[in-house]
Amino acid sequence: MLTFTTLASGSGGNAALVSCGDTHLLLDAGISAKQITAGLAALGVAPRDLTAILITHEHSDHVSGLRVLSKRAAPIYATGPTCRCLYDRNTGSEAADLLRVMEAGTGVQLGGLWVQSFPTPHDAAGSVGYILSGEGGRIVLATDLGYITPAVKTAVQDCGLLICEANHDEDWVRSGPYPYYLKQRILGDRGHLSNEAGAELAWTAVEGGARTVVLAHLSHENNTPARAHEVVRGVLERRGAAVGRDVALEVAPRSEKSRRYTV
């Protein structure tokens, strides 16, 4: 059985668990090791049970708990540029022998799961998303990207579950209190997907067979779960996919564990 659970998802920190039998992969470690350990415990998993940790990129909301967590000796997979950033910033240097380079577009078998990465356009050294396949199921994590590239479109085809970025409402960003440079970063091609752009990615996945979409990485200042759900639902239903019948559409909690999804 292939399952997915977010431990936290938002601008304040990100971590999730994918499990397939005895294989347990942590996706990002952007909350404290204490929070991660508690979230894993609620799922019946201890840090020592982790098969590996997969890092999408080096920003603090994806790696802040990694230094402490890495003392539990799970191998850490990331692109070469991300590994170098982790080492240089001393996030991963204490566990340098645990770092495993997996470049964008390559894959590896980790226990009962095949893991394939794909490049994402983000203002990070080597940002990627992940495709995780096992027992006939396929999960795609696609967050932290400024726009939808052909590689991203290809990645979300034939997945059963898409974890899709819906970071912000564009009008809220433009009219909000953020300084100009930060607004430009968020709205730029190496920033984050808006609700509308996330809806387009969700539709691509649903058109390709996805039956569950989880909206993730919502900004605390520039979005709400209700707003993200409303916008994405509107796009899906205008395109002919009935939410609740053809596809399940949910929003990942920002600072607590989601329900466990089975694919």
Side-chain angles (χ1 to χ4, degrees):
M1 183 171 62
L2 179 60
T3 65
F4 174 87
T5 310
T6 60
L7 306 183
S9 180
S11 52
N14 299 271
L17 181 71
V18 174
S19 296
C20 186
D22 293 331
T23 302
H24 304 290
L25 305 182
L26 184 69
L27 304 180
D28 285 330
I31 53 178
S32 71
K34 182 178 180 180
Q35 289 173 290
I36 291 172
T37 300
L40 293 176
L43 298 169
V45 177
R48 65 177 178 275
D49 299 325
L50 292 175
T51 306
I53 301 170
L54 307 178
I55 300 298
T56 58
H57 62 290
E58 78 277 8
H59 288 168
S60 62
D61 59 326
H62 294 263
V63 302
S64 62
L66 186 59
R67 177 187 293 181
V68 174
L69 199 66
S70 66
K71 295 177 181 179
R72 313 299 172 87
I76 302 163
Y77 286 82
T79 62
T82 299
C83 284
R84 287 191 290 274
C85 286
L86 294 177
Y87 186 90
D88 292 343
R89 289 163 50 181
N90 203 36
T91 304
S93 60
E94 294 179 1
D97 58 331
L98 297 176
L99 293 174
R100 306 284 187 270
V101 173
M102 188 174 79
E103 298 296 7
T106 65
V108 63
Q109 187 73 37
L110 296 173
L113 286 167
W114 173 255
V115 179
Q116 180 89 22
S117 68
F118 56 93
T120 53
H122 193 48
D123 57 347
S127 182
V128 294
Y130 288 107
I131 305 166
L132 305 110
S133 305
E135 295 195 357
R138 181 179 170 100
I139 297 169
V140 176
L141 173 72
T143 65
D144 297 82
L145 57 157
Y147 69 102
I148 302 166
T149 65
V152 173
K153 284 186 176 181
T154 298
V156 304
Q157 295 296 320
D158 301 320
C159 69
L161 169 63
L162 170 66
I163 300 88
C164 176
E165 181 167 53
N167 177 257
H168 59 272
D169 180 287
E170 288 189 17
D171 290 338
W172 294 7
V173 174
R174 291 191 176 97
S175 63
Y178 279 2
Y180 178 76
Y181 81 89
L182 184 53
K183 293 180 180 183
Q184 292 300 103
R185 174 190 175 266
I186 293 168
L187 298 172
D189 283 350
R190 291 171 62 80
H192 293 278
L193 291 187
S194 66
N195 292 332
E196 291 79 7
E200 291 297 324
L201 183 58
W203 169 248
T204 299
V206 171
E207 196 176 30
R211 290 297 171 260
T212 304
V213 174
V214 178
L215 305 180
H217 210 292
L218 272 66
S219 166
H220 187 270
E221 295 80 10
N222 298 303
N223 212 354
T224 65
R227 179 60 177 162
H229 192 278
E230 175 190 21
V231 171
V232 177
R233 178 174 186 149
V235 170
L236 293 179
E237 295 199 331
R238 286 194 296 273
R239 303 282 176 86
V243 172
R245 185 192 69 196
D246 301 323
V247 59
L249 177 64
E250 300 187 21
V251 181
R254 289 191 183 97
S255 57
E256 58 190 42
K257 184 174 66 66
S258 72
R259 74 176 181 89
R260 181 181 288 180
Y261 298 92
T262 301
V263 183

